[in-house]
């Protein structure tokens, strides 16, 4: 298993994305700090010309080929407590994945299978939000915040 740290985009780790085949997934921005690890695992680095720049998509399908169910990824905060909120674009996370080599129809590659997510810096999913909300702080510290 490999652990990589980076900024998250388009995280569907609490509920699977069901647009196509249901899967839990997260895009991790590739930078100078994580590029060597991702390349060493043989992952495909993508760039679609948007805000993400270079990124990798780390996913886990909900259903296996044999019809059995995969486990949802574990998601925790910096204190290793369960985190159930939505992870906004730009949040800093550690992602644990298993590199899975594959071959199909004359093509081959390596897919990263999502196992765990640890949230270091949480940004809300509200567009333009760049600082921690009271809800996030409450989730991370597990104590009451003063009312304004």
């Amino acid at each position: 298993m490999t652990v990589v740290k980076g900024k998250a985009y388009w995280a569907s780790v609490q509920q699977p994305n069901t647009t196509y085949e249901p899967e839990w997934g997260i895009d991790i921005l590739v930078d100078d700090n994580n590029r060597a690890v991702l390349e060493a695992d043989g992952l495909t680095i993508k760039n679609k010309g948007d805000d993400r720049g270079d990124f990798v998509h780390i996913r886990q399908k909900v259903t296996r080929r044999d019809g059995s169910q995969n486990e949802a990824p574990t998601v925790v905060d910096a204190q290793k407590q369960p985190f159930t909120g939505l992870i906004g674009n730009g949040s800093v996370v550690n992602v644990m994945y298993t590199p899975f080599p594959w071959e199909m129809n004359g093509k081959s590659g390596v897919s990263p299978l999502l196992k765990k997510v640890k949230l270091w810096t949480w940004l809300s999913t509200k567009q333009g939000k760049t600082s921690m909300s009271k809800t996030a702080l409450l989730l991370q510290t597990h104590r009451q915040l003063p009312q304004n």
Side-chain angles (χ1 to χ4, degrees):
M1 287 201 205
T2 302
V3 176
V4 65
K5 186 174 186 175
K7 287 188 178 180
Y9 273 72
W10 302 108
S12 297
V13 295
Q14 304 297 357
Q15 294 293 322
N17 181 339
T18 58
T19 304
Y20 302 104
E21 185 175 354
E23 70 176 31
W24 296 281
I26 188 168
D27 290 351
I28 300 296
L29 274 60
V30 177
D31 59 28
D32 292 341
N33 297 316
N34 61 21
R35 183 177 300 274
V37 171
L38 297 167
E39 288 176 345
D41 279 344
L43 303 186
T44 300
I45 297 174
K46 302 174 185 177
N47 189 320
K48 295 194 176 183
D50 57 19
D51 291 344
R52 293 173 292 180
D54 289 347
F55 71 96
V56 294
H57 181 66
I58 301 174
R59 67 183 185 161
Q60 177 68 52
K61 292 182 180 180
V62 173
T63 307
R64 296 181 182 135
R65 285 187 206 192
D66 67 6
S68 63
Q69 300 292 302
N70 281 312
E71 290 185 29
T74 303
V75 183
V76 297
D77 64 17
Q79 287 77 40
K80 298 183 182 177
Q81 298 300 311
F83 183 83
T84 58
L86 297 177
I87 298 174
N89 292 344
S91 297
V92 177
V93 297
N94 276 7
V95 177
M96 179 184 286
Y97 66 89
T98 301
F100 178 76
W102 58 268
E103 289 184 25
M104 179 181 268
N105 299 329
K107 296 182 181 181
S108 63
V110 177
S111 294
L113 303 181
L114 179 61
K115 300 300 178 190
K116 296 181 181 183
V117 176
K118 184 175 184 180
L119 186 62
W120 289 107
T121 305
W122 180 77
L123 300 180
S124 83
T125 56
K126 293 180 182 177
Q127 189 172 16
K129 186 82 170 178
T130 58
S131 63
M132 233 183 237
S133 70
K134 285 184 180 181
T135 304
L137 191 56
L138 179 61
L139 286 169
Q140 286 196 349
T141 60
H142 303 287
R143 61 187 162 119
Q144 291 287 339
L145 294 177
Q147 298 292 324
N148 287 342

